[in-house]
Amino acid sequence: MNFRKPANSLVVRLLVMGLLMAIVGTATSYIQLSRFLREDLTQSVAVQQTALAAYVARDVDNYLGERLSFLERLAATLPPERLAQPERLRAWLQERSTLSPVFPLGLKVADATGKRLDGDGQLVTDGSEYMAAREGRSALGRPQAAPSGHSVLPMAVPVRNAAGQVTALLLGTADLSADGLLDHLQRGRVGQDGGILVVSPRDRIFVASTDVSMSLTPTPPEGVNLLHDRAMTGFRGSGTTRNAKGIDEISAIASVPNSGWFVVARVPVAQALAPVGRMQTFILQQRAPAVISVLVVIGLIMAWLLRPLLRAADQADRMTRGELALAPLRVVRNDEIGHLTQAFNRLLAKLLDNQQALAHLAHHDTLTDLPNRKLLDERLQQALLRARRHAHQVAVLYLDLDGFKTLNDTFGHEAGDKALREIAHRLQALVRQTDTVARIGGDEFVLLAADFAEAPEQGALTLAQRCIDAIAQPLQLAHSETVIGVSIGIALGNGNETPQDLLAAADKAMYRAKQSGRSSYAMTPASS
């Protein structure tokens, strides 16, 4: 069966439905798996970044604590008398620096005014580390760039006398670049663009960074990086943020206690969640062939399942166009399609029965079940053709009941119908199977006879008399007997006449018989 519109095809609809279900399923899996993996990876990366930030923060804190502790130990062991002896003080400091070279840029001792006690010179006294040490606290200064290009960090601790009073300041400058701290940070890269930041919130600068160009540069202003703003006010933890370059990052923040700094371990979201993109690509690449394969399998299965239905529909369609005769369809399988085919066959059988019944009604009288005028004309036409072919004659007897109207008025229509059925039965009993008895009107009957064993005229007259005798028998109607007669007109034909001519001739003869008296017959040639 051919469909002008593919949308009218059940197979196409099922395939489209399967495709839509596959697309919806794939989209649902795509969205749910992507969301789950994104959240899971974000959490995992945040945990990793937190661990990395804490590790780097401890490393930096140990680095700073070691140097501050070294300065504090020197300050505690510095002989007081050396403060007034510059040369001996300088020799003492040089000896300690050689034994523990944690300050390769050297050590200095100055008084509260910034005057150096280990030699000539005046120190700058506005540094935060200098002012804190003068107040009796060990402190770090502001990281800065040295003339050599290295990043350096000044430190200062107080020197106290026996009474605990600050008598001098011990200063040292750590070379962050030479000590390898920055190299260590630069190796702490995560992904292609992730890395480590060491931030001094007091000085609002990046102390160190995996990206060397960011070292010793100012931190971004407020509102640029919201997570950075929170870290500057004391937040420690992890989160997702957008940096000053507009890149989304997963960042973790840990404190460096000895300095008040904090360490940021960061990685771009796009790189951290790269497995999500690969998973999405995998889903699309793997699902597409799978969906196509499933649709092909579904299409083949549906074609196999619907093949009997399509074949049955095609045969039924050809039957409706008259290309095939009406016949039951073959039941292939005992399933829903088989049930539908069986139902169609039952409907077809009922239709054929109805057609046969309609055909019978179209050619037979409803009261007596005798052939009507239409069937009589067909049989008369065939009889005339045979008569002309075989040189025979055909006899037509036109019967009209005498006194039927009086019977009908006296006993009623039901009795009249009963009388007609009884007369039809009697007439059928008189003729041969090759002859025809037809009812063509209310009380009018026609007998068609051919192939007489004796002369046609004599045979027709004998048959007419037998009809008169049979009808003359009493009829049992309404618990009483009644008798009616019949007038018969006879016409003979040799095949050169038309059915209408022969019936008209027999009708004329019947009227002559009525005029001559009831229960009689008259014969007229067809040509008269």
Side-chain angles (χ1 to χ4, degrees):
M1 184 185 305
N2 295 322
F3 295 96
R4 293 183 179 181
K5 294 182 178 180
N8 294 334
S9 171
L10 181 60
V11 174
V12 172
R13 292 178 182 178
L14 289 174
L15 289 176
V16 171
M17 185 180 297
L19 179 60
L20 291 177
M21 292 176 63
I23 291 175
V24 171
T26 301
T28 302
S29 299
Y30 184 91
I31 294 172
Q32 291 181 344
L33 288 176
S34 298
R35 181 182 301 169
F36 169 77
L37 190 56
R38 183 180 297 273
E39 293 176 354
D40 188 65
L41 278 177
T42 299
Q43 184 176 1
S44 298
V45 171
V47 170
Q48 294 173 0
Q49 293 297 94
T50 301
L52 177 61
Y55 168 76
V56 174
R58 286 194 302 270
D59 196 24
V60 173
D61 195 55
N62 290 336
Y63 173 89
L64 299 176
E66 178 183 358
R67 281 151 181 76
L68 281 175
S69 178
F70 175 76
L71 283 180
E72 290 172 351
R73 290 196 303 271
L74 283 182
T77 59
L78 178 61
E81 66 277 8
R82 298 285 179 99
L83 296 177
Q85 303 172 355
E87 293 184 4
R88 294 186 64 189
L89 177 59
R90 187 168 49 252
W92 185 86
L93 293 174
Q94 181 65 36
E95 180 182 355
R96 270 47 183 183
S97 297
T98 304
L99 293 176
S100 181
V102 293
F103 290 100
L105 298 180
L107 298 171
K108 302 181 182 67
V109 178
D111 60 14
T113 63
K115 179 181 178 181
R116 290 188 61 171
L117 301 179
D118 59 335
D120 296 332
Q122 181 73 27
L123 300 180
V124 178
T125 61
D126 59 352
S128 58
E129 78 283 2
Y130 191 90
M131 291 185 290
R134 192 170 56 183
E135 294 174 359
R137 302 191 313 273
S138 300
L140 302 178
R142 178 187 177 89
Q144 52 193 278
S148 63
H150 288 191
S151 296
V152 296
L153 177 65
M155 303 178 183
V157 297
V159 179
R160 302 176 187 274
N161 57 19
Q165 297 174 337
V166 176
T167 58
L169 307 177
L170 178 60
L171 301 96
T173 302
D175 191 337
L176 302 180
S177 300
D179 290 341
L181 178 63
L182 297 184
D183 293 337
H184 178 68
L185 295 180
Q186 291 171 8
R187 288 193 299 268
R189 183 181 296 275
V190 180
Q192 296 179 353
D193 300 319
I196 303 296
L197 291 173
V198 181
V199 182
S200 173
R202 182 195 65 188
D203 304 314
R204 305 191 70 84
I205 63 170
F206 294 111
V207 177
S209 171
T210 304
D211 182 1
V212 179
S213 63
M214 294 181 64
S215 297
L216 302 180
T217 61
T219 58
E222 291 186 4
V224 175
N225 187 327
L226 299 182
L227 188 63
H228 172 81
D229 294 344
R230 294 175 63 195
M232 295 289 280
T233 59
F235 171 78
R236 301 295 180 262
S238 62
T240 302
T241 187
R242 176 165 294 182
N243 64 20
K245 296 180 180 179
I247 300 175
D248 291 333
E249 295 178 335
I250 300 174
S251 300
I253 304 162
S255 293
V256 181
N258 281 318
S259 60
W261 300 347
F262 61 83
V263 172
V264 180
R266 60 198 182 104
V267 63
V269 172
Q271 295 178 16
L273 302 184
V276 177
R278 291 194 294 271
M279 182 274 296
Q280 293 172 337
T281 303
F282 175 81
I283 289 179
L284 296 178
Q285 290 178 345
Q286 296 299 317
R287 281 296 184 94
V291 168
I292 294 174
S293 301
V294 169
L295 289 179
V296 170
V297 172
I298 291 176
L300 293 175
I301 293 175
M302 293 305 302
W304 177 75
L305 290 175
L306 296 178
R307 184 178 180 184
L309 179 62
L310 296 175
R311 183 180 299 168
D314 181 67
Q315 291 179 352
D317 190 42
R318 294 177 64 187
M319 289 180 189
T320 59
R321 295 198 302 267
E323 299 176 4
L324 293 177
L326 295 178
L329 300 175
R330 184 162 143 314
V331 179
V332 178
R333 292 190 299 269
N334 189 23
D335 53 10
E336 288 81 358
I337 295 177
H339 178 71
L340 179 62
T341 306
Q342 292 173 351
F344 175 83
N345 289 340
R346 290 192 295 269
L347 182 62
L348 181 61
K350 190 172 182 179
L351 176 63
L352 292 175
D353 292 342
N354 290 339
Q355 284 184 333
Q356 292 175 356
L358 291 174
H360 185 80
L361 289 175
H363 293 83
H364 291 79
D365 176 56
T366 57
L367 178 62
T368 62
D369 202 35
L370 293 176
N372 58 14
R373 180 180 288 274
K374 182 177 181 180
L375 183 56
L376 174 65
D377 289 343
E378 293 177 1
R379 291 187 178 180
L380 183 55
Q381 182 68 40
Q382 295 173 1
L384 291 173
L385 290 175
R386 289 196 302 272
R388 184 167 63 247
R389 188 180 303 115
H390 300 291
H392 293 164
Q393 284 193 321
V394 175
V396 174
L397 283 68
Y398 202 107
L399 289 74
D400 185 81
L401 299 180
D402 299 328
F404 179 75
K405 184 177 183 303
T406 303
L407 181 150
N408 214 22
D409 294 340
T410 302
F411 297 100
H413 291 290
E414 292 185 3
D417 292 344
K418 182 178 180 182
L420 290 175
R421 286 192 293 269
E422 176 61 25
I423 290 171
H425 178 70
R426 293 178 183 181
L427 292 176
Q428 281 183 308
L430 296 177
V431 299
R432 302 163 297 180
Q433 292 184 348
T434 57
D435 299 336
T436 298
V437 179
R439 182 188 176 209
I440 61 173
D443 61 346
E444 295 178 340
F445 297 86
V446 172
L447 270 67
L448 172 62
D451 301 329
F452 293 99
E454 50 187 311
E457 295 82 355
Q458 186 59 43
L461 295 175
T462 301
L463 180 59
Q465 186 59 52
R466 293 174 62 191
C467 291
I468 292 174
D469 295 340
I471 295 175
Q473 297 296 321
L475 296 169
Q476 295 291 331
L477 299 175
H479 306 292
S480 63
E481 292 185 350
T482 185
V483 177
I484 62 175
V486 62
S487 298
I488 303 176
I490 306 171
L492 296 177
N494 56 14
N496 295 320
E497 304 84 0
T498 65
Q500 291 75 19
D501 293 339
L502 205 55
L503 286 173
D507 185 35
K508 291 180 181 180
M510 181 271 295
Y511 277 106
R512 289 203 308 271
K514 273 191 177 294
Q515 292 172 357
S516 63
R518 299 191 173 187
S519 298
S520 63
Y521 55 80
M523 178 180 290
T524 301
S527 58
S528 61

